[in-house]
Amino acid sequence: SKQFLFSVNQDKINIFDRYSRSIIREIPLNFHYDNLNHKIYYDTVHNYIYAVDDNFTKKFKFDGTLVASLRHLDYPGYDVVGDDSSPYIYFSNGVGVVKMSKRDFKVLAYTYTTNLANHQGWAMGLSLVNTGQGEYLVVFNNSNILILDKNLNKIAAQKANTNLERKYPQESLY
């Protein structure tokens, strides 16, 4: 948003208004696990905020009213990503990623990432990339980087290794 900044601070979403230079709203979340790797998705077209905590994936109105929720596997919730032009969101809960419908909050696809590429492939960070072939989901974790198609099928994976020969990008990494 051009006016608002969003952050997850401990057990709440903070909404900061750039014009008034203050936090205008706090929306509570439930985290049981100690990690700081959380990201929300704000749909600027419909003014909905999507977040995942350690029990539920949640959809909020901008005023903080809970509109929908889905109980997931009770693992650490990390990221929710989406695109304003897409009817879908994706979220990670450590053991995998889930594709959901924004409209009715129904699960459309899911995959466990713990053994999809390399051992201990916990799904923590997510990025959504739109290409000519559709949406690609990039999954970051402590053992590899995984690329999934819009149906959450594996396209590619690279084991994370600090000892790899240094290579320079030939094109934009994103």
Side-chain angles (χ1 to χ4, degrees):
S1 170
K2 293 180 182 184
Q3 182 178 353
F4 304 106
L5 296 172
F6 299 85
S7 69
V8 178
N9 184 11
Q10 296 180 353
D11 283 358
K12 60 187 168 281
I13 299 169
N14 287 334
I15 303 174
F16 181 84
D17 185 331
R18 293 180 194 204
Y19 301 142
S20 69
R21 302 181 66 81
S22 63
I23 294 174
I24 60 165
R25 189 157 296 109
E26 292 181 340
I27 302 171
L29 296 172
N30 297 310
F31 294 111
H32 310 291
Y33 300 97
D34 186 25
N35 70 59
L36 301 174
N37 300 320
H38 304 291
K39 184 171 64 177
I40 61 113
Y41 163 61
Y42 174 55
D43 184 338
T44 59
V45 173
H46 300 100
N47 289 324
Y48 287 118
I49 300 166
Y50 297 88
V52 61
D53 61 24
D54 292 345
N55 302 106
F56 292 90
T57 303
K58 300 175 179 179
K59 177 180 179 179
F60 298 98
K61 289 183 181 179
F62 189 79
D63 67 4
T65 304
L66 182 64
V67 176
S69 66
L70 173 81
R71 186 167 189 92
H72 60 76
L73 299 175
D74 295 338
Y75 284 93
Y78 289 96
D79 282 1
V80 177
V81 293
D83 186 285
D84 291 351
S85 63
S86 172
Y88 312 113
I89 60 167
Y90 302 84
F91 74 87
S92 63
N93 67 346
V95 296
V97 293
V98 177
K99 178 180 181 179
M100 293 178 61
S101 166
K102 287 182 188 177
R103 184 177 50 79
D104 58 14
F105 238 53
K106 293 209 185 275
V107 172
L108 303 172
Y110 65 89
T111 190
Y112 293 100
T113 59
T114 51
N115 291 312
L116 192 56
N118 294 307
H119 184 63
Q120 297 179 350
W122 285 84
M124 292 184 282
L126 299 178
S127 285
L128 187 62
V129 180
N130 286 310
T131 69
Q133 291 81 32
E135 296 176 334
Y136 286 173
L137 188 65
V138 182
V139 182
F140 300 94
N141 57 45
N142 63 345
S143 64
N144 58 79
I145 298 171
L146 181 64
I147 301 174
L148 306 174
D149 68 11
K150 64 182 179 181
N151 298 315
L152 304 182
N153 297 312
K154 181 176 123 180
I155 294 174
Q158 175 64 49
K159 183 175 168 84
N161 186 341
T162 58
N163 297 326
L164 288 176
E165 177 185 325
R166 185 168 181 94
K167 296 183 180 181
Y168 297 94
Q170 302 297 313
E171 61 183 340
S172 171
L173 292 176
Y174 212 80

